[in-house]
Amino acid sequence: MSVPLTLLGLLEREASHGYDLKRDYDTYFGRGKPLPFGQVYSTLSRLTRDGKVVISEVGPGDGPDRKRYLITELGATELDQWLTQPVEPEPHLQTVLFAKVVLALMLDRPAAEYLDTQRSAHLQRMRELTEVKRAGGLVDALLADHGLYHLEADLRWIDMTGARLDALRSTVRP
């Protein structure tokens, strides 16, 4: 997740204070990992420094003055470029799952047990995401579906790898 570009997108929608940006970010993008206030303000400072946002007004607040941020043409151009470029297709060819299985085989450790443990962890996470999908709104359901589809693909890989452990062992342990 690109925090600076996401904040630019929220600012293109409407000029906002840092507090409002954090709230909106957490509502739509921060599921399980809210954005720290410090990161919001340090990101806004960098975006201001780089000419991608400007402070449109400053007003008194309960603490420091409240600054309202506005996206600039440069920021809007960068946001547009980011939105129209495809995301790097996943997955990458080197994953932690793969590395653990290969190392377990190289070190003559129980790779099949590791795969069983990983399968159990994936199934538990799938149950959690299914509950999020059932209990939440549309945004939660779409995010949960994304996670579920990735976990399903991992489970297929785990099963396929488990079936090929002997062949992989002979490849990595000559």
Side-chain angles (χ1 to χ4, degrees), residues 21-32:
L21 289 169
K22 180 199 174 354
R23 181 198 63 223
D24 290 347
Y25 183 96
D26 289 350
T27 298
Y28 294 106
F29 311 109
R31 297 292 201 285

Side-chain angles (χ1 to χ4, degrees):
M1 173 66 69
S2 171
V3 172
L5 289 161
T6 304
L7 292 180
L8 285 175
L10 293 171
L11 285 170
E12 185 170 281
R13 184 183 59 165
E14 65 181 335
S16 299
H17 296 97
Y19 177 86
D20 298 324
L21 289 169
K22 180 199 174 354
R23 181 198 63 223
D24 290 347
Y25 183 96
D26 289 350
T27 298
Y28 294 106
F29 311 109
R31 297 292 201 285
K33 190 175 180 188
L35 191 60
F37 277 107
Q39 187 175 359
V40 172
Y41 292 108
S42 64
T43 300
L44 288 170
S45 291
R46 284 191 305 279
L47 290 170
T48 302
R49 178 199 67 206
D50 297 342
K52 297 172 187 172
V53 300
V54 293
I55 298 169
S56 65
E57 61 185 64
V58 177
D62 291 339
D65 289 339
R66 289 180 45 117
K67 299 173 184 170
R68 188 174 199 75
Y69 295 88
L70 179 69
I71 192 170
T72 65
E73 188 174 321
L74 176 63
T77 299
E78 183 172 326
L79 174 66
D80 187 58
Q81 289 171 351
W82 179 67
L83 288 173
T84 58
Q85 304 238 335
V87 173
E88 182 71 27
E90 291 185 30
H92 302 286
L93 291 179
Q94 292 295 332
T95 68
V96 174
L97 283 169
F98 178 77
K100 284 185 174 188
V101 169
V102 169
L103 286 171
L105 292 171
M106 286 178 171
L107 302 172
D108 200 27
R109 302 230 177 122
E113 289 179 24
Y114 165 71
L115 289 172
D116 289 341
T117 301
Q118 191 64 50
R119 182 182 296 105
S120 294
H122 272 59
L123 290 170
Q124 175 58 38
R125 183 63 179 142
M126 289 176 84
R127 285 189 287 277
E128 293 166 1
L129 289 174
T130 300
E131 179 58 26
V132 166
K133 184 177 171 178
R134 187 192 65 72
L138 178 60
V139 170
D140 290 328
L142 290 170
L143 288 169
D145 280 341
H146 187 267
L148 285 165
Y149 297 145
H150 281 271
L151 290 169
E152 286 173 5
D154 282 352
L155 284 174
R156 286 194 308 271
W157 182 87
I158 288 169
D159 290 341
M160 186 267 315
T161 301
R164 294 178 173 174
L165 279 179
D166 289 336
L168 183 57
R169 181 179 291 111
S170 65
T171 300
V172 301
R173 291 193 73 202

